[in-house]
């Protein structure tokens, strides 16, 4: 199984982010593009989306934690099997 990191935005200048909210928990199934976390930098909010579908295998931060740009928030584990709700009988 392959794991892919979910990261804070990597910006050209180093910035700090504060985790405002986590939208998932460990063990949750995600679709690619689903919101994982909301981060705040200054007055700007950034929504971090899942880079791929899979299961949240680990979260390294909690709300109010401070992160640097590019920091890993958590990991998505890609599984090579089909879940029952992924099956489309019309396909």
């Amino acid at each position: 199984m392959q794991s892919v990191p979910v990261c804070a935005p990597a910006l050209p200048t180093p910035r700090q982010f504060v985790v405002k909210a986590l939208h998932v928990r460990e063990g949750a199934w995600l679709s690619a593009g689903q919101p994982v976390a909301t981060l705040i930098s200054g007055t700007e909010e950034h929504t971090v989306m899942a880079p791929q579908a899979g299961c949240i295998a680990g979260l390294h931060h909690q709300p109010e934690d401070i992160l640097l740009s590019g920091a890993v928030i958590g990991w998505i584990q890609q599984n090579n099997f089909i879940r029952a709700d992924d099956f489309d009988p019309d396909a």
Side-chain angles (χ1 to χ4, degrees):
M1 287 184 251
Q2 176 186 1
S3 293
V4 173
V6 179
C7 299
L11 303 172
T13 57
R15 281 176 108 172
Q16 288 186 341
F17 294 94
V18 176
V19 178
K20 179 180 178 183
L22 293 173
H23 305 293
V24 296
R25 63 181 192 280
E26 285 190 34
W29 287 92
L30 301 176
S31 299
Q34 184 174 339
V36 174
T38 300
L39 308 178
I40 299 173
S41 178
T43 59
E44 299 176 24
E45 280 194 9
H46 302 270
T47 302
V48 179
M49 305 295 199
Q52 73 173 32
C55 178
I56 293 288
L59 291 170
H60 302 298
H61 298 283
Q62 298 298 319
E64 300 184 17
D65 283 359
I66 297 173
L67 313 173
L68 294 175
S69 58
V72 175
I73 298 168
W75 294 88
I76 295 177
Q77 190 170 31
Q78 182 180 26
N79 291 308
N80 295 327
F81 61 88
I82 299 174
R83 297 179 302 144
D85 56 345
D86 289 340
F87 179 73
D88 182 2
D90 298 326

